[in-house]
Amino acid sequence: MTDDKMTKGLRRSDRFLTAIRSSIDDTIPVQIAHTFVKVCMNQGKGVVELADLTGASKSTMSRHLLDLSETLRTGAPGYGLLLRTVDPTNLRSVVYTLTPRGKLFRNTLADIMED
């Protein structure tokens, strides 16, 4: 890899991480940011499927998805990026999709990675 290519990749990574920190939360854990990216790529999936995709446990994934939704696990307002919906094919299951704010943020991240 050339120095120019490496520098360009690192700049892109820096812009990506800066966007996450400034748009979501300055202290957001990287695992929660990773969960957001996985949901962007796999909308309509539930906790078990998303946990399998990220290598996280089901309980950890459940907490991350809750944080990215409307309410943090502490009861405080959540990040508001994901919408929790009961799966119409299995009423005991919940699936996750992007809110309008989540779609806007996904597009911002995608634009950064295309530059």
Side-chain angles (χ1 to χ4, degrees), residues 65-83:
L65 292 167
L66 185 61
D67 288 350
L68 288 163
S69 298
E70 292 302 316
T71 307
L72 295 173
R73 59 187 163 223
T74 62
Y79 299 126
L81 300 171
L82 300 182
L83 180 64

Side-chain angles (χ1 to χ4, degrees), residues 5-82:
K5 190 172 183 177
M6 183 173 50
T7 299
K8 184 177 180 179
L10 290 171
R11 282 190 187 129
R12 190 176 296 153
S13 297
D14 181 58
R15 286 195 316 269
F16 184 86
L17 293 170
T18 299
I20 288 173
R21 292 181 66 213
S22 64
S23 296
I24 300 177
D25 184 343
D26 196 37
T27 60
I28 187 168
V30 71
Q31 297 92 337
I32 293 177
H34 184 222
T35 296
F36 176 74
V37 171
K38 284 296 187 183
V39 173
C40 289
M41 296 169 25
N42 299 279
Q43 287 192 69
K45 303 280 186 200
V47 173
V48 173
E49 294 163 305
L50 291 164
D52 289 344
L53 289 169
T54 61
S57 69
K58 288 180 266 187
S59 61
T60 297
M61 180 55 59
S62 179
R63 287 191 306 271
H64 291 173
L65 292 167
L66 185 61
D67 288 350
L68 288 163
S69 298
E70 292 302 316
T71 307
L72 295 173
R73 59 187 163 223
T74 62
Y79 299 126
L81 300 171
L82 300 182

